[in-house]
Amino acid sequence: MTTVVITSFGYLHGQEPAARVCYDLRHQFRDPHLRPELRYLTARDAPVREAVMGTDGVLALVHAIAATVDAYLAAPRQDEPLTVALGCAGGRHRSATVADALAVVLSGDAERAVAYLVADLAERYTGRGLAVDLHHRDLDKDVVDR
C-alpha cells in the first residue's frame, strides 16, 4: 500500500518540514486571519473551511496537488512514503484546510469531501488503496500576533 504523508504548518512557527513537495499558500490566497470573526477559529470550524474553500483558486489548487501526487506515485521508485507539506502564515486556516481537503480526496472519502467541495475528485480515488497520514503541525498553537 502506498502512503502519502500530508503535513500542514505555519511559517511563523518555524522552518517548513522536510517534504518531497511543499506548497506555500501565504501570498496567493486570502488569509482568514485578517477577518476578526475567523482569527481565533481553525480549519476544524466550518466558517474557516467555507472561507478557504470559497477562495478563488483553492479548488484548482487541490486538483493540481492531487495531480502532482498522481505523477509522483506513477514514478518507478515507490520505496518510501510521498510527503506533501502545505504552509501558510500561522498554520491554522489555509494550509490546514487544504491539507484536510487533500486528505479526504486521496482517501477516496467522497462523503466527507462534500464539505470541501471536492466530492467529484474524491470519487476518483475511491478504491485506490492509498494510505493517507495527515498531520497538522501548528493547528493548535496560539494565534500569532501580526
Side-chain angles (χ1 to χ4, degrees), residues 97-116:
T97 299
V98 173
D100 286 343
L102 184 62
V104 298
V105 163
L106 298 179
S107 297
D109 190 343
E111 187 175 308
R112 285 183 48 220
V114 168
Y116 296 92

Side-chain angles (χ1 to χ4, degrees), residues 42 93 134:
T42 71
H93 300 110
L134 174 65

Side-chain angles (χ1 to χ4, degrees), residues 34-52:
L34 300 177
R35 292 177 51 189
E37 72 275 15
L38 299 179
R39 182 167 299 148
Y40 294 95
L41 301 178
T42 71
R44 293 183 181 121
D45 299 298
V48 169
R49 181 179 59 244
E50 292 162 4
V52 171

